[in-house]
Amino acid sequence: MVVLRWFGIRADNRARKNIWSPRGSTLYFAVILAPPVIAGVHQWWGHPTSRGRSAYLFWICYYVPLDLILVLAAWSGCRAFHRALPSVDRMLTPRGAREVHAWISRGLRPWRQERWMLTGSAVACLMLWALSDVEQVVQHMYIDAASYVSVTVSGAGGANGLYWLFRASRLSRIITKTGHLRLTWSAPARTPGIEALSRWYRIVTLWCVFGAALAFAPWVWLSPFVAQNGAYLTTKWVVAAIILLSILLYGFYSQWRLSQAVLEKRMAVLRVMERRLPKQPPGTRPFTEHEKQLVELFTKVSESPSGVVNAQTLASTLVSVAAVLVPLAVAALVR
C-alpha cells in the first residue's frame, strides 16, 4: 500500500476502486528512472572501461520494468481484495468483522510497511556489495551508484510485497477462528465469501510465480561465473528461502486454513443430520416424505466440497514453488 501511495494510486475501500493520480506519481517515476539516468551520465562523463558495459546497462534497464511490475502486482492484488471484501464481510460474525477490519487498519499503518521496505533495501544493497567484491563478477560487470539505486528501489518494493504476503497468511487465521464465520450450512465451500477469498489467494499466488521467476534471473546469469563463491551461494539461498516460505504460507497455508473451516462446518452439519436419519436401511420399510427429504439433504451436504484446496489451488501453488526451484536447477546445471 505504501508503494501504491508513492505511485499516486489511492485505493478507496468504500468505493472498492483504485484511482491513479499521474501528478502524484511523478516523484516515484523519477526514483524508478533515476538509475538509467545515472548510468547514462556515468557512460558519458566517466568513460568507464568497455569490459562489462553491456551487462551493466542490461541489468540497469532490467530493474526499471521490474519496479513497474511490482507496482502493477500490488495494484492487482489490492483491487482483488477490495472486490472480495464485501462477500467476506457478509460471511463474518460481528466479532469476526471487527477483528478483520482491525487487521486491515493495523496493516495500513505506514511505519509498519516502511520498516520492511528499509530492511529490504538494506539487505539488497548488502547483497550487491558482497557480490561486488567477487573477482569474477567484476570481470563481467562493473557496479556503480546506479546499481545501488536500482537494487534499493527494487528491494523496497519486494519487501513491501513480502510484508503483505506474510500478513495475509495471518488474515486466514483470524477469519477461521471459532465464532468468526457464518458459512452456508448446505455447502460451506460454496459460501460466496470463502470462494472470493480463495480466488484472491490464487490470483496473488500466480503473481508470485512471475515475481519469483524475475527475482532469480540475476542468480541464473551469475551462476557460470561464481557458482562456488560463498557470497553468491549465501545470497541465492537467502532469497530462495524467503520466497519459498512466503509462497507456502500465503498460497498453501492460507487455503488450508479456509479448508479446515469448511470441513469443520460440513462435518458439524452432517453429524446433526445423521442423528435424525432413519435407523433402518432402505428397503426394510417405506420412508416417510420427511425421511426422504432428510436423506436427500444428507446426500447433498455429503457430496459438497470438503475444502477450498481444489485443483486450481494446488496447481497455482505448485507452479509458484516450481518458479523458484526451476531457476535454481538451471543455475546449478549451467555452472
Side-chain angles (χ1 to χ4, degrees):
M1 294 299 298
V2 166
V3 171
L4 290 180
R5 288 170 184 169
W6 284 0
F7 212 78
I9 297 175
R10 295 294 182 267
D12 187 345
N13 191 33
R14 295 178 182 176
R16 299 189 301 281
K17 63 182 179 180
N18 295 276
I19 303 172
W20 177 56
S21 171
R23 182 178 300 177
S25 62
T26 304
L27 179 60
Y28 196 51
F29 263 123
V31 172
I32 289 178
L33 296 175
V37 173
I38 296 173
V41 172
H42 185 201
Q43 294 295 312
W44 183 261
W45 294 103
H47 302 294
T49 175
S50 60
R51 185 177 63 182
R53 179 180 296 175
S54 60
Y56 165 77
L57 292 174
F58 171 80
W59 287 112
I60 292 296
C61 295
Y62 164 85
Y63 279 104
V64 173
L66 177 64
D67 293 334
L68 295 175
I69 289 171
L70 282 171
V71 175
L72 177 62
W75 172 75
S76 176
C78 180
R79 184 180 64 172
F81 180 73
H82 284 166
R83 287 181 174 177
L85 194 56
S87 298
V88 173
D89 281 338
R90 286 194 294 270
M91 78 170 179
L92 293 173
T93 62
R95 187 178 70 178
R98 282 195 301 271
E99 290 205 22
V100 167
H101 285 273
W103 172 88
I104 295 173
S105 298
R106 289 193 303 271
L108 291 177
R109 292 171 186 168
W111 178 236
R112 281 176 172 262
Q113 301 176 67
E114 288 165 0
R115 282 182 298 182
W116 276 70
M117 297 170 74
L118 289 172
T119 303
S121 295
V123 170
C125 288
L126 284 173
M127 287 182 176
L128 184 62
W129 175 78
L131 292 173
S132 67
D133 283 343
V134 179
E135 183 179 354
Q136 297 94 324
V137 174
V138 177
Q139 290 175 354
H140 293 88
M141 181 184 69
Y142 56 85
I143 296 172
D144 68 351
S147 307
Y148 282 98
V149 174
S150 295
V151 299
T152 297
V153 178
S154 301
N160 188 243
L162 287 174
Y163 167 82
W164 282 107
L165 289 178
F166 285 118
R167 280 195 63 80
S169 62
R170 175 167 171 74
L171 172 64
S172 65
R173 192 170 57 175
I174 294 173
I175 286 177
T176 54
K177 282 184 180 178
T178 303
H180 285 190
L181 280 175
R182 292 182 297 198
L183 300 178
T184 305
W185 68 268
S186 59
R190 296 292 177 254
T191 305
I194 285 286
E195 289 196 330
L197 199 60
S198 179
R199 190 183 309 114
W200 173 62
Y201 280 120
R202 285 199 299 271
I203 289 171
V204 180
T205 302
L206 291 174
W207 269 112
C208 290
V209 175
F210 195 48
L214 290 176
F216 276 101
W219 277 266
V220 174
W221 180 79
L222 283 170
S223 182
F225 315 127
V226 291
Q228 302 301 328
N229 181 268
Y232 166 79
L233 293 174
T234 300
T235 55
K236 179 177 72 174
W237 288 112
V238 165
V239 173
I242 292 173
I243 293 178
L244 278 173
L245 180 62
S246 63
I247 288 175
L248 289 175
L249 280 176
Y250 181 89
F252 188 77
Y253 171 77
S254 300
Q255 299 274 21
W256 175 77
R257 292 285 307 196
L258 297 180
S259 293
Q260 286 297 108
V262 167
L263 180 62
E264 290 174 7
K265 178 65 175 181
R266 180 173 170 271
M267 292 303 298
V269 173
L270 288 174
R271 281 194 292 268
V272 171
M273 296 181 67
E274 183 186 22
R275 290 194 292 267
R276 300 178 181 178
L277 287 174
K279 302 303 179 184
Q280 297 83 6
T284 55
R285 64 174 179 82
F287 284 167
T288 65
E289 192 65 28
H290 177 66
E291 289 173 337
K292 287 180 181 178
Q293 292 177 354
L294 281 176
V295 171
E296 290 176 358
L297 282 174
F298 185 86
T299 303
K300 179 182 178 181
V301 175
S302 63
E303 290 177 350
S304 67
S306 59
V308 299
V309 182
N310 52 23
Q312 284 183 316
T313 303
L314 288 174
S316 60
T317 304
L318 290 175
V319 170
S320 299
V321 174
V324 179
L325 297 180
V326 168
L328 289 176
V330 172
L333 290 173
V334 299
R335 68 185 179 185

